Each structure stands twice: as C-alpha cells, then as structure tokens.
Amino acid sequence: MFFSEEGARWALIVHGGAKEMEPDERADNRSGVIEAAEAGRAVLEKGGSAIDAVVAAIEVLERLPVFNAGRGSALNEAGDIEMCSGVMDGRDLSVGAVGAIKHVRHPVAVARDVLPEKEVLLVGEGALRFALAKGHDEVPTEALITETRREALKEMHDTVGAVAMDTGGNIAAGTSTGGLTGAKVGRVGDSPMPGAGLYADNHVGGVAFSGDGETITRLALAAQVMASIGKDGPEDAIRKAVDQLPGTGGAEADGGAIAIRKDGTIGWTHNSPDFAVAYLTSDMEAPRAFLSKDEEKSG
Ligand code: ASP
C-alpha cells in the first residue's frame, strides 16, 4: 500500500487481536475494526496528530465488548480485570503506558495522559491514582466484565492496537489489552512495553503487536521490526518476527502485528488462526477490513 504523489497524505491501520474467532464473533470483529479505523480517519482527515488518531481508534475497540480491551477484558486468575495499554509518539519517542490498571473504561486514555510525564509506565494502584487525578471516572469491575469473558476458559490473545501516520509525517503506535485469561494477579505483558509490544519513531516507522506476551517480550519483537522494517518493509519484517514465536515460546506461541514504514507503506501479518485488521490511507475511499491474511490474499 503506497501513497499517490498528490495531496496531504496520512495512513492508519488497526487490529483486534491475534486469536481464533468463534463463528458468531466474526461479524462484530469486522465491524469493530472498521468503526475504529473510521474514528482514526476522522482525526487524520482534519489534520489531527497520529497519536490522537491512535487513541481515538483504540477507544472504540475498548468500548466494544468483542475485543479483549476495556469492557470485555479477559479475567485473571482471581476473576478480576487488570488492563495494560501503551502509546508511543514517534515525534520525540515519548511513551505513556499503564500496567495492571483496574477500574477505568479507557486505559489508552490514561496512557495518553502519561505521555507528557517523565515516567514511562505506571502500574496497579499508582496507575489508578494517576488516572483519577487526571479526571478519569472510576468504574466498578462489574461494569467491565462481559458474560462471554466470565465463561471463557481458554487463553485468548486479543489485544487491540493501532498505528498511524499523520499529514505531518508523524508516526504513533498504541496497544490496549485485558491480558491473558487466568493470568497471575499483577502480570504485565508486552503490550505497554516499548520495544516489546509497540514502538514508533518518525525516522523509521511504527508497529503494534498482539499475541503471546511473554514470548514477544523475551524476543523484543517490536525492536526487531524497527531494526528491519527499513530494508525488509513492514510485512516481511513482521513475518520474520512472528516466525520466531513458536521456537522460543513453544508450539502454541502465536501472534500478529501491524506496522507502517516511514514512507507510508502499511503491512501486517500473523501466525494465529485469525487477526482482524482494518486499514486506510488518504488515497482510499473506505477502509479495507480482513479477518485474516488469507482473506486479504484471496480477495
Ligand atoms: N499480548 C497480550 C498480553 O500478553 C495478549 C494479547 O495480545 O491479547 O498481554
């Protein structure tokens, strides 16, 4: 996906997680990533920043219960919800992130508020205290739990994410997740950690991962993509990254990622059964949405 030569150019890609979808979840996954892409488009078309577009897109995915972020987050071993989110601004390499935060509807909005602070990552009680001081509402965990998640027994990888390039050529990346079903209390995965679950640098590009968080972190997969995206392009860079997951994390370790190179090239791929993605650029009338790479190839 390349830009034409004309006009103010922007690009956006969002995803709804590397996972295996139930048949009855497919329509909601597709409409959800499209709605998120449209929210990001509304920001970018008006000349808004990549970071604002990423936050707007992720807030949609956090609101929709079909995704494991915000409302609809996975339950940990205590039957509780602890969420992680990170945003990174490629203009100045600033990062705002929260880990194992409870009682907020939009972890990505809290991460956005951490962005201008000296700190990169706030966790647990401290993250909630910061959120409340910034005016975020405190919501009971019950308001974030959905019946589907309460009944979910299998581990699901379905962090959400977004990467955007604005008309100024600035690149941002973001993630948000309820983590893994049945995870230990206090667990923080790759999603809020720069170099693991996300990265953005205007001089290189941006990337956001979903998948087996411990393995993604051990392999520093976002850092690997940033190191190779210039030469390989986003899709091959991600492919090389996700191909390493089973070797390090075991046969079941899977994941996927979305990326934009600094020239505006968009790429995505995954080794999970499904990975809902929507992308669009200033050259496109409507978002293109797919539930897997195979669907894009065959379509
Ligand atoms: N990467 C996330 C984590 O480990 C899980 C996911 O992608 O759904 O917390």
Side-chain angles (χ1 to χ4, degrees), residues 18 68 156-159 177 179-180 187 189-191 209-214 216:
N68 174 17
M156 292 171 78
H157 300 153
D158 44 2
T159 293
T177 187
L180 302 180
R187 176 214 181 241
D190 61 303
S191 307
F209 270 89
S210 169
D212 185 318
E214 278 68 21
I216 292 169

